Amino acid sequence: MASGKTVTRSAPSSVQATTIASSLLTVSAPGRDFVDLTAEATKFIKDVHARDGALTLFIRHTSASLTIQENADPSVLADLTTALSRLAPENAGWTHDTEGPDDMPAHVKTMLTGTSLQIPVLNGKLVLGTWQAIYLIEHRMRPHRREVVLQFIGSNQ
């Protein structure tokens, strides 16, 4: 029974991981927003002379997160902000409100979206899709200074 679907895969390649390079990226987030980190990640890969391997990004916070999303149409990010607000509204009767009504919803949004990403690096370039960008999502209303650890593991030869 033929389904008409075709799946192809390139031949596997392998490299010996000879490099572990790390850097701490400090981001001034303006308040609830998506901050594009793609250019900084690309610059880091260039600066460490990465060839083949993986870039990991890890945010050191519980009320901001990381995601890969569309970079072409800004309405996507606006709609995602709306969706997250609907999933974790400020007026849901949260018990934890020590830092204000947006505190607990920010923790829920971080749990839903994640604190780390891993992106393949091939031939010295991040393997992102045409319309993909790397974003820090600030879930709090007021500005924050956020820290993101960048780490490349792989070959630089």
Side-chain angles (χ1 to χ4, degrees):
M1 180 158 123
S3 69
K5 295 181 182 177
T6 303
V7 176
T8 61
R9 179 177 58 84
S10 67
S13 64
S14 64
V15 297
Q16 183 171 349
T18 56
T19 300
I20 299 175
S22 304
S23 184
L24 182 64
L25 179 63
T26 302
V27 180
S28 294
R32 190 170 290 147
D33 202 3
F34 284 73
V35 179
D36 190 340
L37 302 181
T38 311
E40 287 297 330
T42 300
K43 184 177 182 327
F44 172 72
I45 290 301
K46 181 182 176 197
D47 289 349
V48 301
H49 307 288
R51 182 79 184 140
D52 295 310
L55 172 66
T56 299
L57 295 92
F58 176 78
I59 191 163
R60 301 176 61 192
H61 304 278
T62 60
S63 58
S65 58
L66 299 169
T67 193
I68 295 174
Q69 265 305 328
E70 180 174 326
N71 64 2
D73 183 350
S75 68
V76 170
L77 301 180
D79 286 344
L80 289 170
T81 299
T82 299
L84 288 171
S85 293
R86 288 178 182 162
L87 290 169
E90 290 183 15
N91 61 354
W94 306 106
T95 303
H96 175 73
D97 62 0
T98 307
E99 295 179 39
D102 67 338
D103 191 20
M104 189 59 214
H107 293 299
V108 173
K109 293 170 188 176
T110 295
M111 183 178 70
L112 293 171
T113 52
T115 56
S116 67
L117 300 171
Q118 188 170 31
I119 303 162
V121 177
L122 295 176
N123 297 317
K125 299 200 182 302
L126 294 171
V127 186
L128 290 169
T130 302
W131 308 114
Q132 289 182 320
I134 303 163
Y135 293 99
L136 179 153
I137 312 172
E138 177 56 61
H139 299 297
R140 301 296 305 276
M141 288 297 290
R142 64 182 173 78
H144 281 79
R145 189 176 140 261
R146 302 299 191 174
E147 294 180 342
V148 177
V149 176
L150 304 173
Q151 188 172 65
F152 171 75
I153 300 175
S155 170
N156 63 352
Q157 300 179 21

